[in-house]
Amino acid sequence: GNSVTQMEGPVTLSEEAFLTINCTYTATGYPSLFWYVQYPGEGLQLLLKATKADDKGSNKGFEATYRKETTSFHLEKGSVQVSDSAVYFCALSDPGQNFVFGPGTRLSVLP
Amino acid sequence: DGGITQSPKYLFRKEGQNVTLSCEQNLNHDAMYWYRQDPGQGLRLIYYSQIVNDFQKGDIAEGYSVSREKKESFPLTVTSAQKNPTAFYLCATRRDSRLANEKLFFGSGTQLSVL
């Protein structure tokens, strides 16, 4: 079945550092890929998505590129802020199937 | 204001008690979902419904029940059979579950604790 693997956290960075959170997936079809963000005590919000190979999703300075050859969708940001501290979830969706989420990666950004 | 409303924000359950978590949406989405999130953990699917008057078990349905009598509403009952109910419960909707690129929309969650 489909699955998503994310790098183990927590990840702790200083403000303005470069961020990478790795995400790899296994899927039988042609899934769409998503990154969601969850702030403390809240629900998940869509951060970005990509629907086909080589697509790049971007939002609020975050980017991720759909790499079919490496089955990856790594999240990157050039300069993190304290306000980026949250839990980040990688997810995939195949047509007609439910979402599959990774375990989440907690990011803490220190001033 | 369109969105998903979960209530209450915090809920306490006594031993042997059933409790119901509310989820209402005005997005006109067909599909609705309930997820459970334990501290520091990912999301686990409890139940989902793709259409009114129909629902399916997810990965951890034991000890839970749902109904879908209206498109807008998908309440979750945590029964006394659920021995470890303390968790953060998230309701989500999706416009069309047949399409891979349709995103999930999430409510703000209900924190359930056992007294």
Side-chain angles (χ1 to χ4, degrees), chain A residues 9-27:
Chain A
V11 174
T12 302
L13 296 173
S14 298
E15 203 164 25
E16 300 183 1
F18 184 86
L19 169 71
T20 300
I21 300 178
N22 290 337
C23 171
T24 57
Y25 68 90
T26 302

Side-chain angles (χ1 to χ4, degrees), chain B residues 36-100:
Chain B
R36 171 177 170 143
Q37 185 177 28
D38 292 281
Q41 304 295 313
L43 281 70
R44 292 186 288 171
L45 182 63
I46 305 172
Y47 268 99
Y48 62 102
S49 168
Q50 294 173 316
I51 196 168
V52 176
N53 292 322
D54 189 37
F55 50 83
Q56 287 79 39
K57 294 181 179 180
D59 302 318
I60 56 163
E62 186 173 350
Y64 300 97
S65 66
V66 294
S67 63
R68 185 86 187 276
E69 297 175 1
K70 300 186 300 182
K71 189 175 186 177
E72 300 79 17
S73 179
F74 191 42
L76 173 73
T77 297
V78 183
T79 75
S80 57
Q82 173 49 247
K83 298 306 180 187
N84 184 22
T86 297
F88 191 54
Y89 291 85
L90 286 161
C91 178
T93 70
R94 199 176 186 193
R95 189 172 66 93
D96 188 341
S97 60
R98 296 169 298 177
L99 301 176

Side-chain angles (χ1 to χ4, degrees), chain A residues 33-80:
Chain A
L33 302 174
F34 303 79
W35 276 101
Y36 278 83
V37 60
Q38 184 181 32
Y39 299 101
E42 297 183 10
L44 278 68
Q45 305 172 26
L46 179 68
L47 182 58
L48 53 84
K49 72 176 186 181
T51 59
K52 61 182 188 297
D54 299 325
D55 266 2
K56 177 186 282 188
S58 61
N59 186 26
K60 300 180 181 178
F62 291 90
E63 294 183 339
T65 301
Y66 189 162
R67 301 285 188 201
K68 193 168 174 64
E69 63 275 14
T70 54
T71 61
S72 65
F73 192 54
H74 305 321
L75 183 68
E76 296 182 337
K77 187 176 185 183
S79 176
V80 294

